[in-house]
Amino acid sequence: MITEKQIETYKKDGYLLLKNLFDTEEIGLLKKAALADRELDKRSYGRADGEGGTVRLSIWNHPGNNIYGSFARSERIVNVAEALLEGEVYHYHSKMILKDAKVGGAWTWHQDYGYWYNFGLLQPLLTSVTIAVDKATQENGCLQVLKGSHKMGRVDHTLKGDQAGADMERVEEAKKTFPLVYCEMDPGDAMFFDCNILHRSDQNRSDHSRWSLICCYNAARNDPYKEGQHASYTPLEKVGADAIKNSSVGGFDADPESKWVSPDTDKTIENMKS
């Protein structure tokens, strides 16, 4: 469990980096599973970044019982999310960001709540955690945040390429007030970030991949008032410290297709176009 000081840091800065939350063996199992997972690769799709590159990602709504679910349901993650959001949380969705060497695209400046607001969420009571599968550096397009920018509240978003990005006039003004931080991470590090913090990442033109698993959580008391792209409240069954090492390295091939979020159901982009 995190300390009161760490909770205060998260509320002040909008993010919290926890070093070595997962060990080398656990991250090695996740990497092995992801590389071998044909279903994960088949279900991945690209988003043009407006800078000549494409981001590749896979998104699913329900954590399941495979190795990805063992991470998403891990008490090491969920207990922190509940401490930060001050109450019960549930799994909103997870995604694997596949930023391959030389070709991985950028993410434009955005807030997650800039998207999720459209899916019936009345309050920004969500947090995400990005878990480094590969080492994340400035050279391979690590996450960038404007420290403290979550205090701005939700910013309007418009379409940039195939991505919905924050109003750049606001972003440029925000840069004058909120420090830009490059969130470099080692494999096994985990960084929680508020759904209203402005963040982006650059293209990966390095020789090293940057894959990461991002798990998103919504407060149970913030259940969407209408059906949206991601999950409504479902009780989350936590798993203990040994679950990842004891889980099957198998991937998604045995799971039902209904949990996947595909390009055809990506209403975020459709909302921005209309």
Side-chain angles (χ1 to χ4, degrees):
M1 181 59 72
I2 58 174
T3 65
E4 287 297 324
K5 184 175 181 179
Q6 288 174 313
I7 294 173
E8 290 175 9
T9 296
Y10 175 86
K11 290 182 177 180
K12 175 173 63 74
D13 297 341
Y15 69 97
L16 177 68
L17 175 62
L18 300 179
K19 300 290 291 182
N20 303 309
L21 193 62
F22 299 99
D23 66 28
T24 301
E25 181 182 352
E26 290 170 321
I27 292 300
L29 290 170
L30 178 58
K31 178 79 170 183
K32 179 181 178 181
L35 286 172
D37 194 341
R38 294 182 179 179
E39 192 69 15
L40 181 75
D41 184 66
K42 184 175 78 172
R43 296 288 182 172
S44 69
Y45 59 94
R47 285 280 177 237
D49 60 11
E51 301 176 17
T54 301
V55 177
R56 191 162 67 97
L57 70 158
S58 298
I59 307 178
W60 57 96
N61 280 341
H62 300 293
N65 297 307
N66 55 27
I67 191 167
Y68 312 108
S70 294
F71 274 86
R73 296 192 292 126
S74 171
E75 60 187 7
R76 275 174 277 174
I77 291 288
V78 181
N79 287 348
V80 173
E82 291 186 331
L84 296 176
L85 294 177
E86 302 178 346
E88 181 189 359
V89 303
Y90 73 93
H91 181 264
Y92 191 50
H93 66 276
S94 288
K95 49 185 171 275
M96 185 72 80
I97 304 295
L98 311 170
K99 211 171 243 208
D100 297 318
K102 297 293 188 183
V103 297
W107 281 107
T108 190
W109 283 110
H110 68 281
Q111 301 166 313
D112 290 338
Y113 192 57
Y115 307 158
W116 302 340
Y117 171 86
N118 295 301
F119 305 147
L121 296 173
L122 291 179
Q123 302 176 77
L125 296 176
L126 302 99
T127 191
S128 298
V129 57
T130 178
I131 301 164
V133 179
D134 297 311
K135 188 176 181 66
T137 66
Q138 288 191 46
E139 289 71 29
N140 68 4
C142 70
L143 188 69
Q144 304 168 34
V145 301
L146 293 184
K147 183 177 178 179
S149 61
H150 62 301
K151 296 176 182 176
M152 295 169 58
R154 186 177 65 88
V155 174
D156 288 340
H157 283 58
T158 57
L159 199 65
K160 294 177 175 62
D162 283 341
Q163 299 180 27
D167 175 10
M168 282 307 298
E169 180 180 332
R170 291 270 177 170
V171 171
E172 292 303 324
E173 288 301 315
K175 289 179 182 178
K176 300 174 184 178
T177 299
F178 303 104
L180 172 63
V181 178
Y182 288 88
C183 303
E184 296 190 315
M185 301 169 64
D186 293 313
D189 292 349
M191 195 185 91
F192 290 81
F193 55 100
D194 186 274
C195 66
N196 264 333
I197 196 167
L198 285 164
H199 59 287
R200 67 157 284 135
S201 63
D202 290 331
Q203 294 182 354
N204 182 7
R205 297 307 182 198
S206 77
D207 295 325
H208 306 285
S209 64
R210 184 179 78 78
W211 285 25
S212 57
L213 174 65
I214 301 180
C215 304
C216 308
Y217 302 90
N218 185 26
R221 63 189 186 277
N222 193 41
D223 197 27
Y225 68 83
K226 64 180 180 179
E227 184 178 352
Q229 177 176 319
H230 300 303
S232 296
Y233 173 71
T234 304
L236 182 59
E237 183 180 350
K238 302 177 191 178
V239 296
D242 297 329
I244 293 169
K245 293 178 183 179
N246 292 333
S247 67
S248 168
V249 181
F252 281 115
D253 43 346
D255 285 345
E257 294 186 3
S258 60
K259 73 166 156 300
W260 290 94
V261 178
S262 73
D264 295 333
T265 60
D266 190 346
K267 297 181 179 61
T268 298
I269 300 301
E270 292 307 314
N271 286 340
M272 295 301 166
K273 288 178 178 177
S274 60

